[in-house]
């Protein structure tokens, strides 16, 4: 048997993976245009071009570039007039910004569990969490999957709730041919450096609702009225500065030109990985609903069963696979009820009252499926890995097969190392 790389053996792959971000002459060309234009910010032509292009990719009537994905979520909540006394349902398995945006408008994030087969928010848990104070639900399209939009939108409409889609991981995905972010009331995207479309920092909101678009524009631009708004129906609103610069928009215009090909390559790689990993005992891709007609991939996720690998903890499996591949291997986010980054009681601005402090305490929630996903079974590969050539992507399957074949040695190494994280 081949010796494991983690124990000094030869890895299955050691020649590197695609780096991120990918850029070239096109980004430089557009940045030079901004430099010489003298128009570096404030509803510039590059921003307008990107806004129209990205909105069109998702079939949205309106799109607005903002300064971060977190701010996109906050602006969406404010545009819907959600604030003090309101509750917003959020999946417990998400980046902390989803819930922080709710906190920042003085509303209460209500954390619910995920579906064990998809890692997406559980519609049944959403329905069970609705109270008279519930105003909205934020389904998160996480890693390489989409939330069950048909069920969630139906539940929301039945209870007169708004739907804000968190699409930070899902640029370009479609549900029954319709772009994510357009099935709910507002869709929010992150354009931060790790995302599949990025300008270092940035965010985006899309909507098909004219009034919401008008409010979103004013909220992100110091309360100003959009040039296309109807003065007869426009209502002034207190806004702030959440604008994007022309520099960021220029990079994003170039990156957007690259995105369609990258979407195809990543999804092709995911399909190959799914087919290969299904042949290895103890490994399973996440379930994918047939309504997903195009799937963007922020991270490729599969499920690991310790029982098939001599009870080796998933933390040890991740380390061993990383050694075989020469790339980062991680797990899904820590659930927000046990996250080092989600600590609402440490910020004075949230101390509205003792009752509010109790309401925002994440420790009150019991979410066993998200806990299991993080602590026992999830394995995540970063999205640049999926841009490698098909024969290189196959090395992921080869590495997993090697660990399974050598599971006795893997168990002995994990036991000797005491690997638990």
């Amino acid at each position: 048997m081949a010796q494991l790389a983690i124990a000094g053996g030869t890895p299955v792959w050691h020649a590197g993976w695609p780096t991120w971000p990918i850029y070239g002459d096109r980004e430089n060309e557009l940045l030079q245009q901004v430099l010489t234009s003298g128009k570096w910010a404030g509803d510039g032509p590059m921003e307008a071009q990107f806004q129209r292009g990205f909105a069109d990719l998702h079939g949205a009537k309106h799109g607005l570039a903002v300064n971060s994905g977190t701010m996109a979520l906050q602006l969406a909540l404010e545009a819907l007039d959600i604030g003090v006394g309101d509750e917003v349902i959020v999946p417990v398995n998400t980046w902390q910004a989803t819930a922080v945006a709710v906190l920042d408008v003085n509303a209460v994030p209500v954390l619910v569990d995920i579906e064990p087969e998809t890692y997406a928010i559980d519609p049944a848990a959403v329905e069970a969490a609705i109270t008279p104070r519930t105003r909205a639900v934020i389904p998160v399209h996480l890693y390489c999957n989409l939330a069950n939009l048909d069920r969630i939108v139906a539940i929301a409409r039945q209870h007169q709730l708004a739907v804000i889609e968190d699409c930070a991981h899902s640029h370009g995905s479609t549900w029954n041919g319709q772009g994510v972010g357009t099935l709910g009331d507002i869709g929010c995207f992150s354009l931060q450096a790790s995302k599949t479309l990025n300008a270092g920092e940035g965010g985006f909101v899309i909507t098909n609702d004219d009034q919401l678009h008008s409010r979103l524009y004013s909220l992100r631009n110091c309360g100003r009225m959009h040039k296309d708004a109807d003065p007869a129906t426009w209502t002034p609103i207190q806004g702030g500065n959440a604008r994007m610069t022309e520099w960021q928009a220029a990079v994003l215009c170039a990156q957007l030109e690259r995105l369609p090909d990258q979407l195809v390559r990543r999804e092709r790689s995911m399909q190959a990985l799914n087919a290969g990993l299904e042949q290895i005992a103890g490994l399973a891709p996440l379930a994918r609903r047939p309504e997903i007609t195009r799937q963007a991939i922020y991270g490729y996720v599969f499920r690991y069963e310790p029982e098939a690998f001599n009870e080796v903890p998933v933390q040890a499996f991740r380390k061993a696979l990383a050694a075989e591949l020469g790339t980062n291997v991680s797990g899904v986010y820590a659930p927000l009820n046990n996250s080092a980054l989600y600590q609402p009681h440490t910020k004075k601005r949230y101390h509205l009252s003792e009752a509010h402090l109790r309401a925002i305490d994440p420790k009150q929630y019991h979410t066993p499926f998200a806990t299991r996903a993080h602590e026992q079974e999830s394995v995540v590969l970063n999205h640049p890995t999926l841009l490698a050539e098909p024969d290189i992507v196959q090395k992921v399957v080869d590495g997993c097969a090697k660990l399974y074949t050598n599971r006795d040695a893997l168990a002995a190494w994990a036991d000797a190392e005491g690997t638990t994280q």
Side-chain angles (χ1 to χ4, degrees):
M1 292 186 181
Q3 187 176 10
L4 298 177
I6 198 75
T10 302
V12 298
W13 181 247
H14 51 78
W17 296 87
T19 57
W20 191 256
I22 295 171
Y23 59 91
D25 291 342
R26 183 60 171 158
E27 282 81 0
N28 186 58
E29 175 190 350
L30 296 182
L31 286 168
Q32 286 293 323
Q33 288 183 24
V34 173
L35 178 65
T36 57
S37 74
K39 179 71 170 177
W40 292 358
D43 291 339
M46 208 66 74
E47 181 184 63
Q49 178 182 329
F50 174 66
Q51 286 178 161
R52 188 67 266 154
F54 193 64
D56 286 348
L57 176 67
H58 297 88
K61 185 175 183 181
H62 302 292
L64 283 171
V66 299
N67 58 6
S68 73
T70 305
M71 186 55 66
L73 290 163
Q74 181 176 326
L75 295 177
L77 291 160
E78 291 181 345
L80 292 161
D81 199 29
I82 292 171
V84 176
D86 298 330
E87 294 176 352
V88 178
I89 298 171
V90 175
V92 74
N93 184 17
T94 184
W95 181 243
Q96 51 99 17
T98 312
V100 167
V102 180
L103 292 174
D104 282 349
V105 299
N106 294 326
V108 174
V110 175
L111 307 180
V112 301
D113 211 349
I114 59 173
E115 297 174 319
E117 302 297 323
T118 69
Y119 289 0
I121 189 171
D122 184 352
V126 169
E127 196 159 28
I130 295 171
T131 76
R133 294 176 297 280
T134 308
R135 289 286 312 283
V137 56
I138 306 181
V140 178
H141 306 311
L142 198 68
Y143 289 110
C144 59
N145 228 339
L146 302 185
N148 187 339
L149 286 166
D150 289 348
R151 284 275 290 124
I152 290 168
V153 170
I155 291 167
R157 300 300 176 244
Q158 178 185 351
H159 295 274
Q160 297 182 307
L161 307 178
V163 176
I164 301 170
E165 295 179 61
D166 185 336
C167 311
H169 288 185
S170 213
H171 310 73
S173 291
T174 57
W175 179 271
N176 284 327
Q178 185 173 346
V180 294
T182 66
L183 288 97
D185 298 280
I186 300 175
C188 299
F189 297 80
S190 170
L191 305 171
Q192 179 267 346
S194 70
K195 303 305 189 293
T196 57
L197 185 70
N198 90 87
E201 294 289 352
F204 205 85
V205 289
I206 59 176
T207 185
N208 288 326
D209 186 288
D210 293 344
Q211 185 176 4
L212 285 176
H213 172 251
S214 179
R215 286 175 62 84
L216 286 162
Y217 179 87
S218 297
L219 286 163
R220 73 133 197 188
N221 194 17
C222 305
R224 296 183 176 94
M225 183 177 71
H226 190 272
K227 61 181 178 61
D228 295 332
D230 182 355
T233 59
W234 181 75
T235 302
I237 186 172
Q238 179 61 55
N241 179 3
R243 298 186 297 262
M244 178 181 285
T245 70
E246 282 286 273
W247 304 103
Q248 293 164 288
V251 171
L252 288 162
C253 284
Q255 292 285 300
L256 186 59
E257 294 173 6
R258 302 176 189 278
L259 183 61
D261 176 65
Q262 293 172 351
L263 281 166
V264 171
R265 290 168 63 190
R266 289 193 187 98
E267 190 156 24
R268 179 187 64 200
S269 294
M270 181 173 71
Q271 292 168 354
L273 289 174
N274 287 350
L277 295 178
E278 284 176 345
Q279 307 305 312
I280 302 173
L283 304 182
L286 294 182
R288 174 171 170 160
R289 289 190 173 84
E291 294 89 349
I292 299 174
T293 43
R294 184 171 64 201
Q295 179 62 66
I297 302 161
Y298 175 69
Y300 176 74
V301 183
F302 62 94
R303 293 183 293 123
Y304 167 83
E305 297 176 5
E307 298 83 0
F309 285 78
N310 294 4
E311 302 298 338
V312 170
V314 71
Q315 294 83 1
F317 178 87
R318 293 171 190 155
K319 285 188 175 183
L321 184 59
E324 295 295 342
L325 301 178
T327 191
N328 182 64
V329 179
S330 62
V332 296
Y333 298 132
L336 294 181
N337 53 2
N338 190 30
S339 169
L341 298 180
Y342 187 63
Q343 303 290 336
H345 284 181
T346 65
K347 206 166 189 178
K348 190 174 182 179
R349 67 184 289 186
Y350 304 144
H351 288 211
L352 303 183
S353 67
E354 291 302 315
H356 188 74
L357 278 181
R358 289 192 296 272
I360 65 175
D361 183 1
K363 300 300 183 185
Q364 67 184 289
Y365 297 103
H366 177 62
T367 54
F369 294 132
T371 299
R372 187 178 76 191
H374 172 66
E375 296 181 358
Q376 299 179 30
E377 68 178 28
S378 64
V379 182
V380 182
L381 294 164
N382 295 335
H383 67 82
T385 305
L386 278 68
L387 294 176
E389 292 301 315
D391 60 325
I392 308 306
V393 172
Q394 174 63 31
K395 300 299 182 182
V396 175
V397 178
D398 296 344
C400 290
K402 180 180 176 182
L403 295 180
Y404 179 76
T405 300
N406 295 276
R407 57 194 179 277
D408 290 343
L410 178 63
W413 169 81
D415 184 61
E417 294 291 318
T419 302
T420 59
Q421 59 181 357

